[in-house]
Amino acid sequence: PLQLACDLCAIVSNSGQMAGQKVGAEIDRASCIWRMNNAPTRGYEEDVGRRTMIRVVSHTSVPLLLKNPDYFFKDANSTIYVIWGPFRNMRKDGHGIVYNMLRKAVEAYPSAKIYVTTEKRMSYCDAVFKKETGKDR
């Protein structure tokens, strides 16, 4: 299980709305900085900051990470990746397509810190999403 000790978190979306906001220094002051999917930081530091502690990645964005693995896994070795997705893609029995991609990434970048959500946690998150939006994910 992933264990964190954060007193102030910055959660940074991959939205174009961050462009021009010039909040990078404020974001970098947080003890934990969470980023979503494959949003870049290089070239956008003034707006989104330089540091990343945790990157939460949808199963659909994993192929985008793997298109540029040096950027995500080699240069950012201290970043923790939390990958979420449906059980059919994340299963560990050799049939989970995303899980298999991640295993290959860890083989190529053994210092990468990659966590996947459990089926139980995904069900919980799906229930929260449905309760708050009235829609199935």
Side-chain angles (χ1 to χ4, degrees):
L2 179 60
Q3 302 284 323
L4 300 173
C6 302
D7 59 343
L8 177 65
C9 293
I11 301 174
V12 186
S13 76
N14 54 347
S15 169
Q17 294 176 349
M18 295 299 296
Q21 297 299 311
K22 300 185 185 330
V23 292
E26 182 179 350
I27 289 168
D28 281 341
R29 283 193 291 274
S31 58
C32 291
I33 301 169
W34 296 65
R35 297 192 187 276
M36 311 314 270
N37 292 317
N38 62 322
T41 54
R42 275 192 212 139
Y44 303 95
E45 294 88 349
E46 187 177 25
D47 294 322
V48 301
R50 299 179 184 283
R51 297 178 45 239
T52 301
M53 182 178 184
I54 301 145
R55 190 174 284 274
V56 180
V57 181
S58 162
H59 64 105
T60 58
S61 292
V62 168
L64 298 173
L65 293 181
L66 298 176
K67 282 186 176 183
N68 194 359
D70 280 354
Y71 176 78
F72 290 106
F73 300 123
K74 187 175 183 182
D75 292 340
N77 281 340
S78 64
T79 299
I80 299 167
Y81 291 84
V82 177
I83 315 296
W84 65 272
F87 175 70
R88 70 182 178 278
N89 293 339
M90 306 305 288
R91 50 194 290 181
K92 301 174 185 178
D93 63 0
H95 297 288
I97 189 167
V98 174
Y99 188 83
N100 292 341
M101 286 185 222
L102 295 170
R103 281 186 46 215
K104 288 180 182 175
V106 169
E107 288 171 10
Y109 300 91
S111 63
K113 298 175 187 115
I114 300 175
Y115 292 80
V116 296
T117 56
T118 63
E119 185 177 8
K120 181 179 176 181
R121 185 52 65 184
M122 273 305 303
S123 294
Y124 170 79
C125 292
D126 286 344
V128 169
F129 183 85
K130 185 170 186 171
K131 181 180 176 185
E132 291 184 2
T133 66
K135 299 176 183 177
D136 286 324
R137 183 180 52 82

